[in-house]
Structures are given as C-alpha cells and as structure tokens.
Amino acid sequence: MFIQDITLRTMLVGLLQVDSDVIDFAPEDVAVVSKLITNLWARSKTSALIPPHLLKTLNMHLRRLIPDEEQYPNPLDFVIPVWETLWRVVATAVYHLMEDPHARLVFARLHDTPTYEQFQLDSPAPYADPNAKSNATGPSAQDFIAEVMRLYPPASASCARSPTHTPSATSSPRG
C-alpha cells in the first residue's frame, strides 16, 4: 500500500495540481481511496454488484483530497485512469531499483538534485575503470524509467483490466 499511497499523493499534487502539499493530505483519506479503488477494480472483473456504500465512502474521502468541485466534478474520472496505471509503473520501477545497485546510485543522485537536468543526466558507467581515459556512461534515471515503461507498458496492463464502466458518484451496480 505504501507505493499506492505515495503515488496517489504525488499524482494529486504533481499531475492534478491539487492546491495542497504532498504531506498535508490526511493519511486516512489517502489509504481509504487507495484501498477502495483497488477493491472496486477487483470487483469490476466479476459479476458482483458494487455496493453503493463503497462508492459513497470513496467519493467522500476523495472529495476531501480534491475539494475543487468546479475543476473536478467527479474526481474518480481523473484519479482512476492516472493512478491505477501510475502506481503499477512506480512499483515495477522500485522493484527493479532494489535489484540494481547502479540504478539506486542514479536515483540517489536524482534525490540529492531533483532537477530535470539530473533526471536526464547520464551516469558514470557501472563498473567502469576510474583510471580509464574513456568517457563511458551508464543509463540516466530517464533511461531507467523509459526501459521500465518499454518492458512493462502500463497501457497493456490497464487495458487488460479496464472495466467497461468507470464507477462514478451516481452509479452503484457494475454498469
């Protein structure tokens, strides 16, 4: 749930530009939204009806996270397609980072200098001889993410699981 929650927080501020700081969202709201969206996705793959109380609870917590009703009249329409895809990419990237010491170094540098330039910056080649005269470089953080996206394309994963009807504030049974 950690990756789902942190991805939701980041997506709300970074992509949807909700007027809040990432750490200011109520942890309960973030956890409930993450859990219920995942629950609804699983239910949408079956013939089971979606209990109306789940949608009501989800929308209540989501509205606390995204209070702007004018810009986001039904926040689920914005959150589900972005978050459902993005957290899976983040989880896959984190898994591979744990397996690759060089990639961890690249992302540690990005953490220290969180700029677009650092994101694109090629890193010293892993295992390169520091005394060699070559200018060998290794992948950048951008290269790493592009490779994760190439190997695990989120569109194919989300399309394979995409429900025929996105749950909204006004629907309760699977549509």
Side-chain angles (χ1 to χ4, degrees):
M1 291 296 289
F2 173 77
I3 288 176
Q4 291 176 325
D5 291 357
I6 199 69
T7 302
L8 179 60
R9 289 171 181 269
T10 304
M11 180 204 77
L12 290 172
V13 172
L15 296 176
L16 298 182
Q17 299 181 345
V18 171
D19 189 22
S20 184
D21 195 278
V22 171
I23 61 171
D24 290 339
F25 295 116
E28 178 189 5
D29 291 331
V30 172
V32 168
V33 167
S34 296
K35 182 179 177 183
L36 288 180
I37 290 175
T38 301
N39 184 314
L40 290 172
W41 270 106
R43 287 175 177 268
S44 74
K45 307 303 171 238
T46 70
S47 59
L49 295 179
I50 296 173
H53 75 277
L54 290 183
L55 285 173
K56 184 177 180 181
T57 301
L58 173 59
N59 280 297
M60 178 186 72
H61 287 276
L62 194 53
R63 183 52 70 198
R64 284 192 245 181
L65 296 171
I66 306 174
D68 187 344
E69 291 185 34
E70 187 174 311
Q71 186 171 0
Y72 299 105
N74 183 14
L76 277 176
D77 290 343
F78 297 92
V79 171
I80 286 179
V82 176
W83 176 80
E84 187 62 32
T85 299
L86 190 57
W87 81 259
R88 294 172 196 284
V89 171
V90 171
T92 302
V94 168
Y95 170 79
H96 286 287
L97 279 170
M98 298 311 299
E99 300 293 315
D100 186 339
H102 180 72
R104 285 196 305 273
L105 176 64
V106 169
F107 279 86
R109 289 179 179 159
L110 180 60
H111 179 265
D112 292 342
T113 310
T115 64
Y116 187 66
E117 291 77 20
Q118 184 67 37
F119 180 66
Q120 293 179 306
L121 187 66
D122 288 342
S123 60
Y127 320 113
D129 179 357
N131 300 318
K133 295 190 191 250
S134 78
N135 291 328
T137 60
S140 65
Q142 182 177 27
D143 296 333
F144 181 85
I145 296 300
E147 186 65 0
V148 168
M149 300 287 283
R150 183 185 73 80
L151 293 172
Y152 307 97
S156 65
S158 61
C159 288
R161 290 185 299 273
S162 177
T164 58
H165 181 267
T166 302
S168 68
T170 59
S171 66
S172 59
R174 194 172 142 237

